[in-house]
Amino acid sequence: MQTAQVDRAATTTHDDRTADRATGQPTISVRGLWKIFGPAEPKIAGSPLLELTNAEFRLRTGSTIAVRDVSFDVSPGEVFVVMGLSGSGKSTLVRCLTRLIEPTLGQVLLDGEDIRAADEQRLRELRRRRFAMVFQHFGLLPHRRVIDNIAFGLEIRGEPKASRLARADKMLSLVGLEGYGGQYPDQLSGGMQQRVGLARALAGDPEVMLFDEPFSALDPLIRREMQNEVLRLHHEVGKTMIFITHDLAEALKLGDHVVIMRNGQVVQAGSPQELVAHPADDYVADFVRDVPKSHVLTLRWIMRDAREDDPADGPEFGPDTVIRTVIHAAATSDKPIRVVEAGRLLGVVDRAHILEAIAGHLEPGQVEPGRVEEPGPTPAT
Amino acid sequence: MTQFRLGRLSAALAVVALVFAGCAQQGTAGPTTGPSEAGATPLPGTGKTVNIAINPWVGYEANAAVVAYILEEKLGYTVVKKNLAEQVSWEGFPTGEVDVILENWGHDDLKAKYIDTDKTAQSAGELGVTGIIGWYVPAWMKEEYPDIDDWQNLNKYADLFKTSESGDKGQLLDGDPSYVTNDVALVKNLELNFEVVVGGSEAALITSFQQATTQKTPLLAYFYDPQWAWAQPPLVDEPLVRIKLPEYTAGCDADPEAVACDYPPYILDKIVSTTFATEGGAAYELIKNFKWTNLDQSTVSELIANQGMTAEDAGKKWVDEHEAIWQAWMP
Amino acid sequence: MTAGTLALRGRRAVALSPRTTWLALGAMSVALYLVFRDQWILPHERDTAVFQAFNAARDNIDEVKRTVPPVSLVLDAIRGTTDWLYTTILGILVGLGWPAVIALSTFLGYAAGGWRTGLLALSGLGVLGALDLWDPSMKTLAVTLAAVLVSVAIGVPLGILVAKSNRARAVITPILDVLQIMPQYAYFIPFVVLFGIGAASAVIVTFVYSMPAAIRITALGIRGVPAASVEAAESLGSTAGQVLRKVELPLARKTIGLAVNQTIMLALSMVVITVVIDGPGLGENIIKAIQVLNVGAIFDAGLAIVIMAIILDRVTEQASLRLDSRSGAGRAGAARRRLPRRLVLGGLALASLGAIGLSAIAPTWAGTVPEEFASLTFREPVNDLVDWIQANLYFLTIGLKDAVTAGVISPIEKVLRSSPFWLVIAIGGAMAAMLSGLRAAVITVVALAGIVGLQLWDHSMVTLASVLVATAITLGIGALIGILAASSDAVSRAVRPFLDAAQTLPAFVYLLPALVLFSPSRFTAIVAAVIFAVPPVVRLVETGIRLVPETLIEAGRASGATRLQLLRKIQLPVARPALLLATNQGIIMVLGMVVLGGLVGGGALGFDVVSGFAQRRDFGLGLAAGISMVLLGIALDRISQGAGRRRLEDLGERAAKVQVHATP
């Protein structure tokens, strides 16, 4: 796809970015981030009050802890999802990353640069060129045409009219809205408006895209369509994405990594499979209870070691195949499924395992990832 | 709960307040009888009210100050002063809002309506003061331009009087919009290259003339006598110079649109409502008898305008010092 | 207003590229002006058939009043009743005496809004007494209360009717529109003809002036009741009356409280001006001070009016908040400090009773504020300041006046007066069509043609020139302060008391300072009009900008916009309906004030109205000028209301809904 190539090309012009990828340094690194709203904020650093529970803290200080000691890393090019119910602090967290809300304590690094140390001008520069955000309520300017909305960020950073409109036009077709450039936002449906929001975020060719519950105001069907759209765009333009949602299915579908927040804290962090397979506490377990395990887990999670007597002619699948996709093969063959990677037999999956997984029964101990996970995000507390 | 209580409490308070207010209102009739008890016999005005219109110039207020003081202190009336424009004062006769106009300048049209047609008002005799209306320039202009005081030469000097308001014409400054004036018609009919600009008040006229005299700036304006400013510096030392307009002849100002002659000398008079004339008793008698001179009036005006006295104090001062004059007015 | 902003509005109203259309209109206007300049102009005539007809009509009315008893009986009855109402209220206030009035007000203030409001009432009334303005203040209060009683008694039911019946709305709304455009001064002429002068007329005029607010806001409150609540009540089988009494009125209670509050504020601003028809009260002090150019005395009286306005405003505002049964604030506050609150209330009630008793025992003492106490005045310092300014800044002020007059006012006036009248009408119609639609264009053309018919074209053009200049200055200053206030809470808080004060002071209070600084001139009238009209513009601009959705601002910030970019590219464009409304309001306020400008050299229509009022033979001219002013107002209103007005009203309605129905 032509536009995608353009984007890739543009990406490489940022030397530091390419450098990051080479060294494996995280794109965004958050360490010990706190956000406190209220009178206690200015003098809270190092205070023992920070040890209090949220409720006690509010009672004692009249202030609210919105984000509590959060740390995580976002790798280049991944989709990083922060999931939580309303009031969990996830929206505050994402705004702290670009200091739309000023963090109280902690560190935010973008490619190693301390964002909290940036002065106003540097911060503006970062927002103009390195970050872009997609909002829950779209945030489109009602008095501007679609094309002008998309070009808004470019206009803000002072690009000449001709070039920014040309760029906006490309974005328009990238999000599938050819021909709508002359319309006004209120003439479009919700889904189309959010596509405009996407296009606007993409237009500045940012390094990191922030999504603040972008689809929660949309109908379920449109929402699914937009999720696929994001996956497609991610595939095409390869941006690092940080995605906020309250919808677990959305989190599992989109996320390379998922962080679950509650009361301002991270309760669990990991890959979707880890969350589903090993809920860290009852809260998360409650969340993932209704998730069809077979739709999330891969063969790697349910295979056992191969034994001498296992038939060698069973159907073969890769270890990262989602369980659901092998059901047919398992049903038509009476032999166990062989999990093969690069010609090497990693293990086998019995039909019974598949049935168990579909039924949602995953006995502890039975489920073990058959590979060593790279160190995931550090859960805080 | 609390709201209920609060409501009831407020209601109860209100009732009490109303009841007492009712009583108190009757009670306040008491003090007005106070002065009457001081004299041997009750004063004729006890418990009665006289409504005097106050037109917007200080000379008028001087009349009212003296009359009101005598009415209140010597006759026991209550006087209500109403600050009204001339025309509006007449409107008050039929409804009883106004009983008296103490200084009336002409107003033949109003006389025709209220006195002759409606019969709601009538004259109460002359005030004794002669009114003069005219156009004036500061004294220095007469010295500088000796022939400026003839209307036929005004066009020659029109440029001097230009202001931001009159554009490329000369400015003729007028006073309060309610004043008696033919100036617009005069300018037109005498073919003067002037524009009438309305200053809005007596004070605006006086300030303008004082400034023009001390700062030697040109000014042509409507002015009149009696007026306290004549007796004050700087005008007392450098009196304004009146412009000679075509001479007044009886009836030359009959058609207000065709006027091309000077203002007549006004024999100022007093107007009362018909009701007041019949029922006003001692007050009406006093007002009918009230007659004084330009000098008397200016004395009181000056106290009010320049010495910062209230009208009441000025009236008292004059009355205290001129017993012989006002005794003759007493009924 | 620049062609650019106009063009933005026109964008969707016309198919043609708006910029091109505006350019074409502009070019054509200039061309036509150059060709037909000084032709088809309508110079002013002092006496015309129209004026004579009005004079004759007035004489006829007088004649009818004199000779047809039923007419005069009805008029007298209205007058008598109103007068009785006023005298009774004043009687109660006077009978209570100052100690009891102060004590009761403190009690009411505390009951309505807690110790702050109570203290405000106590100290405010104390200052009234100290300024030696107690008696005139009570008269002003009595006229205000009498007028508000009638306004509310008639306005609230009418408001309910307007909310319920589309037909009533169709009939009443245009009347309210015209009443709103009419300059305060223009109200007097018809009422003096009917009711003469005096307190009764003052009450009637004030009532007519303040009632539209009661109608409008009540209707807004009733319409703001959620359909779901009404539906629920209906589904349970309520009658229309039950729905009204049990659902709509209770839910709209707070808004109706607001209606009363606004009615009082408007009434107060009118009461002071009624002095020209012998209305009693503080207006007398002001007009007397104007006559002798005593700015200090005006300051005292103006201060008294502001104090009274603030007390009335806060007490009624707090009371209406309390009326809202679901308001959490009142309840929580009451719960927290129930015991002390009861004690204070009881104490204040006792104090009131004591004061009332005092008035009963010693009416003379309670009747007048003691002299040694009533000795506060700001006359000297204010007059000293004025003298200093006159002596030292005279050349500066005069220079400014002359520059603006010669550079701006006179040229605009000259162009307008030398344009063919049909060209002005056509341009007005075209602008209305582009900005506000076809209907507005028709109304504009008809209104302007009406002025031609009244034979006051020339004077209307002079007035229009002043209005345009004053509006431009007003919008410039108002937008600047409004933007500052919207971007900084500190600025907003700092300017609010000035805005409050400026909005409560009657227009003609501004005349004198302007007069003292600039001497009689058109510019003086413009300055007074600007001071008068800036506050509402500031408010509208600030509100409009603050109402811009947070998400849009955030989107802008996230894109790295600077504050200036946020303002230019997001806040101002999105707030455009509010800005248009501000323009519209600014024009209407300026127009209202320009009438009074007739008193300080403003000339033209304003002076015609004033002198029509002051000189009997000019009555016809004055009335025609009054009507011309209303027509000019309608035309300007239609041109400037834009398509945005309705949207903003919706917005306001929605905001009111949110306010009214926000549950704790």
Side-chain angles (χ1 to χ4, degrees):
Chain A
M1 213 178 187
Q2 206 183 355
T3 26
Q5 282 163 2
V6 169
D7 283 310
R8 288 268 155 85
T11 309
T12 53
T13 60
H14 294 275
D15 316 318
D16 46 352
R17 255 186 248 184
T18 6
D20 293 344
R21 294 220 169 134
T23 58
Q25 183 187 14
T27 302
I28 293 208
S29 179
V30 173
R31 289 288 170 269
L33 193 74
W34 289 74
K35 177 62 196 178
I36 291 158
F37 289 109
E41 184 178 7
K43 46 189 187 292
I44 202 68
S47 160
L49 288 170
L50 292 176
E51 307 291 325
L52 297 175
T53 66
N54 286 3
E56 280 170 344
F57 186 82
R58 189 176 312 132
L59 213 61
R60 290 274 293 276
T61 63
S63 305
T64 311
I65 299 180
V67 174
R68 177 185 270 264
D69 195 17
V70 169
S71 305
F72 58 80
D73 287 320
V74 181
S75 309
E78 75 169 335
V79 178
F80 187 92
V81 176
V82 180
M83 188 252 148
L85 298 182
S86 65
S88 61
K90 57 190 189 303
S91 284
T92 307
L93 175 64
V94 75
R95 281 168 174 73
C96 283
L97 299 184
T98 55
R99 286 172 56 195
L100 284 174
I101 291 177
E102 203 63 52
T104 308
L105 299 170
Q107 215 180 18
V108 180
L109 303 177
L110 171 68
D111 296 331
E113 176 184 352
D114 185 356
I115 289 185
R116 290 198 65 201
D119 63 11
E120 204 176 317
Q121 199 182 347
R122 175 65 189 157
L123 184 62
R124 213 152 48 219
E125 203 51 34
L126 291 174
R127 287 178 186 167
R128 284 179 179 183
R129 303 195 179 270
R130 308 281 291 276
F131 288 105
M133 193 155 171
V134 179
F135 296 90
Q136 181 177 6
H137 298 292
F138 321 142
L140 301 180
L141 302 175
H143 60 286
R144 288 167 165 252
R145 293 176 305 163
V146 164
I147 191 85
D148 299 320
N149 261 293
I150 296 176
F152 182 72
L154 303 170
E155 182 181 336
I156 287 292
R157 66 192 199 197
E159 285 191 20
K161 191 166 181 180
S163 79
R164 69 178 187 239
L165 286 184
R167 171 82 185 162
D169 219 35
K170 274 183 194 150
M171 292 304 112
L172 206 55
S173 46
L174 184 63
V175 299
L177 283 180
E178 291 97 337
Y180 285 97
Q183 306 246 21
Y184 284 86
D186 60 6
Q187 293 168 296
L188 304 184
S189 70
M192 288 160 93
Q193 290 191 33
Q194 196 56 297
R195 281 174 194 263
V196 178
L198 269 173
R200 177 174 66 186
L202 285 167
D205 187 27
E207 181 181 351
V208 180
M209 291 179 75
L210 307 172
F211 294 79
D212 180 24
E213 298 202 45
F215 309 140
S216 58
L218 302 178
D219 295 338
L221 280 179
I222 310 284
R223 193 182 309 165
R224 193 188 310 158
E225 185 186 316
M226 291 301 290
Q227 287 161 357
N228 293 335
E229 187 75 10
V230 166
L231 286 176
R232 179 178 73 83
L233 288 170
H234 183 242
H235 183 70
E236 284 178 18
V237 301
K239 304 283 181 197
T240 307
M241 293 180 172
I242 298 180
F243 197 102
I244 308 295
T245 181
H246 64 251
D247 176 353
L248 184 71
E250 187 167 87
L252 299 177
K253 177 172 181 181
L254 299 178
D256 295 322
H257 276 102
V258 178
V259 156
I260 295 186
M261 285 186 76
R262 182 191 188 192
N263 293 337
Q265 278 167 291
V266 172
V267 279
Q268 188 171 9
S271 67
Q273 293 96 320
E274 282 176 309
L275 294 180
V276 171
H278 290 305
D281 60 10
D282 291 348
Y283 181 73
V284 181
D286 225 25
F287 257 121
V288 300
R289 174 170 304 144
D290 295 330
V291 175
K293 309 287 184 289
S294 58
H295 290 204
V296 178
L297 295 183
T298 53
L299 297 182
R300 194 194 291 278
W301 289 79
I302 52 170
M303 68 187 182
R304 60 171 170 78
D305 293 337
R307 288 192 297 265
E308 292 299 318
D309 55 344
D310 283 331
D313 55 348
E316 290 187 5
F317 288 96
D320 294 328
T321 314
V322 175
I323 296 170
R324 179 170 63 153
T325 51
V326 304
I327 292 173
H328 180 72
T332 49
S333 161
D334 53 355
K335 302 186 178 95
I337 288 167
R338 294 158 58 81
V339 182
V340 180
E341 188 175 49
R344 198 163 64 85
L345 179 65
L346 296 179
V348 293
V349 178
D350 297 322
R351 193 187 290 178
H353 288 141
I354 293 173
L355 290 176
E356 290 282 331
I358 294 170
H361 297 148
L362 295 168
E363 295 305 321
Q366 179 197 351
V367 174
E368 281 299 332
R371 62 168 176 174
V372 183
E373 274 286 305
E374 62 191 58
T378 336
T381 304
Chain B
M1 270 301 272
T2 36
Q3 278 187 15
F4 259 117
R5 297 243 171 103
L6 193 54
R8 255 188 263 162
L9 184 55
S10 308
L13 263 183
V15 170
V16 175
L18 289 182
V19 170
F20 275 84
C23 301
Q25 219 187 330
Q26 286 169 348
T28 46
T32 51
T33 58
S36 71
E37 285 150 17
T41 51
L43 295 173
T46 303
K48 295 179 190 159
T49 303
V50 180
N51 297 306
I52 302 181
I54 308 290
N55 292 167
W57 57 91
V58 179
Y60 189 110
E61 227 183 323
N63 303 323
V66 168
V67 170
Y69 184 76
I70 299 173
L71 280 175
E72 289 197 319
E73 298 302 320
K74 310 294 177 189
L75 294 174
Y77 283 91
T78 305
V79 173
V80 179
K81 294 180 178 179
K82 309 201 164 186
N83 294 287
L84 295 171
E86 291 162 78
Q87 147 88 31
V88 184
S89 311
W90 287 75
E91 311 250 8
F93 286 140
T95 58
E97 294 287 331
V98 172
D99 294 322
V100 186
I101 294 175
L102 284 172
E103 181 180 314
N104 174 57
W105 292 63
H107 290 300
D108 290 337
D109 53 339
L110 295 173
K111 282 182 175 169
K113 173 175 163 51
Y114 289 94
I115 296 181
D116 302 336
T117 314
D118 294 0
K119 303 200 181 353
T120 49
Q122 62 187 65
S123 172
E126 291 171 11
L127 177 64
V129 177
T130 308
I132 295 167
I133 296 177
W135 296 355
Y136 294 83
V137 291
W140 72 266
M141 293 195 84
K142 165 76 177 165
E143 285 161 28
E144 188 112 14
Y145 315 101
D147 60 346
I148 202 171
D149 62 345
D150 189 324
W151 69 271
Q152 302 189 27
N153 299 325
L154 280 179
N155 276 346
K156 190 166 76 181
Y157 296 109
D159 277 359
L160 285 176
F161 298 104
K162 272 191 202 169
T163 68
S164 68
E165 291 319 289
S166 58
D168 44 10
K169 296 179 177 177
Q171 167 179 290
L172 168 60
L173 187 67
D174 264 24
D176 188 292
S178 65
Y179 286 178
V180 174
T181 170
N182 300 324
D183 288 354
V184 174
L186 274 173
V187 165
K188 185 173 156 220
N189 297 332
L190 296 176
E191 294 179 351
L192 296 176
N193 191 23
F194 277 77
E195 177 97 14
V196 176
V197 172
V198 179
S201 66
E202 177 178 58
L205 286 177
I206 296 171
T207 319
S208 302
F209 267 127
Q210 288 174 337
Q211 269 174 359
T213 303
T214 50
Q215 299 178 3
K216 303 260 181 291
T217 48
L219 178 69
L220 174 68
Y222 172 103
F223 210 52
Y224 41 89
D225 185 35
Q227 208 328 303
W228 58 267
W230 293 101
Q232 274 294 304
L235 300 190
V236 70
D237 306 317
E238 301 171 74
L240 304 176
V241 177
R242 187 169 176 198
I243 306 288
K244 293 183 202 76
L245 292 170
E247 202 171 328
Y248 175 81
T249 53
C252 75
D253 58 353
D255 178 359
E257 294 309 310
V259 177
C261 61
D262 205 348
Y263 293 90
Y266 288 91
I267 309 298
L268 307 183
D269 55 354
K270 299 157 288 184
I271 312 290
V272 295
S273 75
T274 314
T275 325
F276 183 69
T278 51
E279 297 165 11
Y284 172 65
E285 291 299 318
L286 176 84
I287 285 165
K288 207 174 69 176
N289 299 337
F290 171 57
K291 189 167 185 178
W292 62 353
T293 64
N294 288 27
L295 182 67
D296 290 326
Q297 194 197 59
S298 289
T299 312
V300 181
S301 303
E302 208 269 335
L303 293 177
I304 298 173
N306 283 320
Q307 317 223 348
M309 276 197 191
T310 62
E312 289 72 30
D313 292 345
K316 177 174 176 358
K317 184 169 158 59
W318 189 88
V319 168
D320 287 347
E321 292 167 3
H322 299 81
E323 176 139 13
I325 301 179
W326 62 262
Q327 275 299 353
W329 306 335
M330 291 301 275
Chain C
M1 186 182 286
T2 67
T5 52
L6 294 178
L8 278 167
R9 165 50 44 219
R11 175 168 285 152
R12 284 192 235 178
V14 275
L16 248 163
S17 155
R19 187 161 301 181
T20 327
T21 320
W22 279 106
L23 282 177
L25 178 62
M28 207 150 75
S29 308
V30 171
L32 284 171
Y33 171 73
L34 291 176
V35 173
F36 293 109
R37 172 186 185 161
D38 286 327
Q39 299 171 47
W40 281 294
I41 56 169
L42 304 170
H44 183 68
E45 286 171 50
R46 263 186 68 76
D47 208 11
T48 69
V50 176
F51 307 160
Q52 282 165 10
F54 281 140
N55 275 334
R58 180 204 175 120
D59 290 340
N60 282 339
I61 291 176
D62 283 352
E63 190 65 18
V64 169
K65 265 168 70 182
R66 208 163 51 83
T67 53
V68 185
V71 173
S72 59
L73 270 181
V74 171
L75 292 177
D76 284 351
I78 297 176
R79 198 188 143 77
T81 317
T82 321
D83 202 48
W84 172 84
L85 188 61
Y86 164 70
T87 335
T88 310
I89 294 177
L90 183 63
I92 292 171
L93 289 173
V94 171
L96 282 173
W98 60 273
V101 170
I102 293 182
L104 276 170
S105 307
T106 311
F107 169 79
L108 285 176
Y110 183 80
W115 63 271
R116 269 168 195 267
T117 318
L119 205 63
L120 179 79
L122 178 69
S123 54
L125 289 175
V127 173
L128 287 189
L131 284 168
D132 199 13
L133 291 170
W134 185 263
D135 291 347
S137 301
M138 288 305 110
K139 287 181 187 165
T140 296
L141 185 60
V143 179
T144 310
L145 292 181
V148 168
L149 269 181
V150 187
S151 281
V152 170
I154 299 179
V156 170
L158 274 180
I160 295 172
L161 190 68
V162 166
K164 299 241 145 200
S165 145
N166 285 331
R167 201 180 299 166
R169 191 185 321 178
V171 174
I172 294 178
T173 310
I175 301 178
L176 295 185
D177 282 348
V178 171
L179 286 181
Q180 220 164 19
I181 292 167
M182 237 158 94
Q184 284 179 322
Y185 216 90
Y187 279 78
F188 296 137
I189 294 180
F191 288 100
V192 168
V193 172
L194 291 179
F195 298 104
I197 58 172
S201 297
V203 172
I204 294 172
V205 170
T206 308
F207 138 69
V208 174
Y209 180 71
S210 61
M211 192 179 55
I215 299 178
R216 269 187 209 278
I217 302 177
T218 304
L220 196 69
I222 298 283
R223 276 209 301 272
V225 171
S229 309
V230 176
E231 229 168 43
E234 278 170 350
S235 74
L236 293 171
S238 307
T239 63
Q242 283 172 325
V243 170
L244 182 66
R245 269 182 293 116
K246 295 189 186 298
V247 179
E248 289 171 320
L249 284 181
L251 285 178
R253 208 145 56 157
K254 190 174 134 195
T255 318
I256 294 175
L258 187 72
V260 175
N261 172 283
Q262 282 303 297
T263 310
I264 292 181
M265 291 295 106
L266 283 171
L268 194 59
S269 78
M270 187 61 158
V271 166
V272 183
I273 303 183
T274 59
V275 64
V276 299
I277 54 165
D278 192 25
L282 288 164
E284 287 183 57
N285 300 63
I286 289 185
I287 205 154
K288 230 161 148 178
I290 287 184
Q291 279 161 12
V292 294
L293 285 189
N294 188 340
V295 182
I298 290 204
F299 186 87
D300 282 357
L303 184 65
I305 293 165
V306 172
I307 288 174
M308 199 142 65
I310 291 177
I311 295 175
L312 285 170
D313 181 39
R314 295 299 131 82
V315 172
T316 50
E317 190 190 17
Q318 296 291 332
S320 66
L321 282 178
R322 195 165 277 276
L323 269 182
D324 190 13
S325 48
R326 291 148 305 148
S327 141
R331 257 198 324 229
R336 221 182 316 149
R337 302 211 198 103
R338 181 155 290 166
L339 191 65
R341 181 177 155 81
R342 279 193 190 162
L343 280 180
V344 175
L345 274 177
L348 286 173
L350 278 181
S352 304
L353 282 178
I356 295 169
L358 204 65
S359 304
I361 298 163
T364 325
W365 181 78
T368 44
V369 180
E371 243 172 71
E372 54 273 23
F373 177 61
S375 56
L376 178 69
T377 174
F378 297 95
R379 279 174 207 216
E380 270 114 62
V382 172
N383 283 337
D384 287 350
L385 178 70
V386 169
D387 287 346
W388 183 85
I389 291 176
Q390 267 186 318
N392 296 292
L393 301 181
Y394 184 75
F395 291 99
L396 198 71
T397 54
I398 294 304
L400 179 67
K401 176 186 83 173
D402 288 346
V404 175
T405 307
V408 184
I409 306 174
S410 295
I412 293 181
E413 192 179 300
K414 199 165 176 183
V415 168
L416 284 173
R417 293 176 77 177
S418 61
S419 298
F421 72 91
W422 50 260
L423 180 60
V424 177
I425 296 179
I427 294 174
M431 284 176 68
M434 304 256 323
L435 290 170
S436 317
L438 207 61
R439 201 180 130 85
V442 172
I443 296 175
T444 303
V445 169
V446 170
L448 291 176
I451 296 178
V452 175
L454 287 167
Q455 297 178 290
L456 275 170
W457 183 258
D458 190 51
H459 278 190
S460 298
M461 289 304 103
V462 176
T463 297
L464 179 58
S466 287
V467 169
L468 292 180
V469 175
T471 306
I473 301 177
T474 301
L475 290 180
I477 298 177
L480 185 71
I481 303 178
I483 288 169
L484 286 177
S487 27
S488 149
D489 287 342
V491 174
S492 177
R493 266 197 305 276
V495 296
R496 184 154 308 156
F498 290 100
L499 297 186
D500 283 345
Q503 264 188 321
T504 14
L505 279 177
F508 71 25
V509 169
Y510 300 119
L511 289 179
L512 192 60
L515 185 63
V516 165
L517 289 179
F518 299 109
S519 71
S521 69
R522 283 165 294 170
F523 183 69
T524 313
I526 288 175
V527 169
V530 167
I531 304 176
F532 181 61
V534 159
V537 172
V538 171
R539 264 178 219 276
L540 283 169
V541 171
E542 182 186 348
T543 320
I545 292 180
R546 280 184 186 265
L547 276 179
V548 171
E550 189 55 38
T551 42
L552 297 186
I553 308 288
E554 201 169 42
R557 287 178 62 211
S559 308
T562 61
R563 279 182 80 152
L564 200 65
Q565 283 175 324
L566 282 182
L567 187 69
R568 266 196 10 244
K569 294 185 188 290
I570 297 182
Q571 290 171 307
L572 288 184
V574 174
R576 201 179 47 229
L579 300 184
L580 261 177
L581 185 68
T583 311
N584 179 273
Q585 288 293 296
I587 290 178
I588 300 305
M589 302 272 300
V590 161
L591 188 69
M593 187 63 188
V594 165
V595 190
L596 285 174
L599 292 169
V600 292
L605 286 189
F607 183 72
D608 294 339
V609 173
V610 173
S611 74
F613 194 68
Q615 306 272 6
R616 185 171 179 86
R617 66 158 190 242
D618 285 339
F619 173 83
L621 167 71
L623 185 55
I627 301 173
S628 298
M629 202 148 241
V630 174
L631 292 175
L632 193 60
I634 292 174
L636 289 171
D637 179 56
R638 293 300 131 153
I639 292 173
S640 62
Q641 80 177 172
R645 155 95 69 95
R646 200 141 299 136
R647 244 205 271 162
L648 196 82
E649 269 174 8
D650 287 350
L651 201 73
E653 215 163 300
R654 256 183 282 146
K657 257 186 218 176
V658 171
Q659 254 185 10
V660 172
H661 302 293
T663 39

